[in-house]
Amino acid sequence: MPDIPFGFALPGGQPPDPNDPAQMQQFMSQLQHLLSAPGSGPVNWDLARQVAASQLAAAGDPAVSPFERNAVEDALRIADLWLEPATSWPSGIRSSVAWNRNEWIFKTLDVWRKLCDPVASRMVGAMGDLVPPEARAQLGPMQSMVATLGGALFGGQLGQALGSLAAEVLSAGDIGLPLGPAGTAALIPANIKAYGEGLELPEDEVRLYVALREAAHQRLFQHVPWLRGHVLTAVENYAAGIRVNREAIEEAMGRVDPTDPESMQAIALEGIFTPEDTPAQKVSLARLETVLALVEGWVCHVVDSAAGDRLPNVVRLGEAFRRRRAAGGPAEQTFAALVGLELRPRRLREATVLWAALTEQRGIAGRDAIWGHPDLLPSEDDFAAPETFAATGSDLDEELATFDFSAPGAPEEPTPGEDDSKS
């Protein structure tokens, strides 16, 4: 008879015999105990939250003090005032908050669920396919438990990745995606303090620069209604082309011992997912990288313009943030290895130059009018010739007057936390 897959074993190290009901019952009882954490779907998100919270508790998650809360509110208020002459849109902030690291995870988890579930479901499906066809009928309930095991494994790994990210991100919009509730500008004081110490710059100056970036993100996503759906759809389309490395799954699962829960924590699922090298996937990747670069390039240009001579170290801060976003931190790299998604705007510098050229040629209002519809946005090819794109069709008023804005660029996404059934 075929061996039980994944290397599961009874006490003593021997795999259970599929023909021995007693051994199978004992084996499945152990597995059920191992997978007792609640959760459904391709990712056990309850387990992910628990793992992330445990990781943050071990590393430290300082509570936000009243002083820090007031400092964040003041910084965001000043940032909004400075942005007024630098953009054509009013404030996009409905509430200003200071989060600790756990709050960042809790408030952004709905969007992570939307982005990660489709990728995780393919891993769970691949795990089920590893069971030999001739053994599936004999395993019976084991089949459904494979999916539960996959959800637990992926939930634990995602929890570790999100816990690491939570210790690095500086604000709700720090990695360029609309992760938090719409209209909520949020900074993470503990991470801002640590980042400022690394740069050897005053904490209040770093905080204000981060506030400018967060406030700029809020203006962009609040006043460009199609952008949230456009960005998330670009991520989803790219994720749809990620394939599962079945050999990596089989190797990882071979190290699981249901009698030793710590064996699950020792599994590294990095490298399970790899992008498909197909023309369609290359187009999806280019579209994702372009939209991320355009968002981040606009934010960088607007923030540096708004800060001007107001911040003594604005040039140093701007360069540090561009390098940070282009390279990604250790946690971002871990996340990319785990789910196959790299959220880095690779062409950030070219996009920043392009928005500067548009401002010079068309003014602030003309530059921001480009966000009126996704079809008006620069393409990847335009990054190579920003001056040409800025000068072409400079009579934008006539172009916009005849443009069909009724054609949506992408379906709008519900605000994170909303009940999808209301849509």
Side-chain angles (χ1 to χ4, degrees), residues 144-224:
S144 62
M145 294 178 68
V146 169
T148 307
L149 175 62
L153 282 174
F154 210 76
Q157 296 280 302
L158 268 178
Q160 292 179 13
L162 291 176
S164 298
L165 267 178
E168 292 183 5
V169 292
L170 307 178
S171 67
D174 193 26
I175 63 174
L177 296 180
L179 295 175
T184 298
L187 307 188
I188 296 89
N191 294 350
I192 292 173
K193 180 179 181 180
Y195 184 67
E197 290 172 350
L199 293 178
E200 298 182 346
L201 290 175
E203 182 180 350
D204 58 346
E205 191 171 347
V206 177
R207 183 193 304 114
L208 187 48
Y209 193 85
V210 175
L212 280 163
R213 289 180 51 83
E214 178 70 0
H217 271 108
Q218 291 296 331
R219 288 194 185 219
L220 183 59
F221 280 99
Q222 279 292 96
H223 297 292
V224 181

Side-chain angles (χ1 to χ4, degrees), residues 13 167 196 216 225 300 421:
C300 286
S421 64

Side-chain angles (χ1 to χ4, degrees), residues 112-138:
W112 289 121
R113 184 194 304 268
K114 181 176 181 60
L115 296 178
C116 296
D117 273 355
V119 181
S121 66
R122 291 200 291 281
M123 184 198 78
V124 173
M127 288 176 58
D129 292 343
L130 291 176
V131 179
E134 61 271 22
R136 293 174 189 173
Q138 296 178 353

Side-chain angles (χ1 to χ4, degrees), residues 294-366:
L294 288 173
V295 169
E296 284 298 297
W298 184 90
V299 168
C300 286
H301 170 64
V302 166
V303 165
D304 289 349
S305 299
D309 299 328
R310 294 181 169 110
L311 291 179
N313 294 289
V314 63
V315 174
R316 184 177 169 191
L317 281 164
E319 181 59 27
F321 271 80
R322 274 186 283 273
R323 287 200 307 268
R324 180 175 178 270
R325 285 298 292 120
E332 279 189 76
Q333 294 166 8
T334 299
F335 185 81
L338 178 61
V339 299
L341 290 173
E342 289 194 357
L343 303 176
R344 292 180 289 166
R346 296 180 184 274
R347 306 194 68 176
L348 172 57
R349 293 182 186 277
E350 294 99 317
T352 304
V353 171
L354 192 150
W355 288 118
L358 281 165
T359 305
E360 182 177 351
Q361 287 283 343
R362 307 184 182 187
I364 291 172

Side-chain angles (χ1 to χ4, degrees), residues 209-253:
Y209 193 85
V210 175
L212 280 163
R213 289 180 51 83
E214 178 70 0
H217 271 108
Q218 291 296 331
R219 288 194 185 219
L220 183 59
F221 280 99
Q222 279 292 96
H223 297 292
V224 181
W226 55 264
L227 184 57
R228 175 182 292 269
H230 188 77
V231 171
L232 296 182
T233 299
V235 175
E236 291 168 5
N237 288 341
Y238 174 66
I242 295 174
R243 62 181 176 86
V244 177
N245 185 334
R246 296 174 185 270
E247 292 182 358
I249 290 182
E250 192 166 14
E251 180 183 354
M253 297 306 301

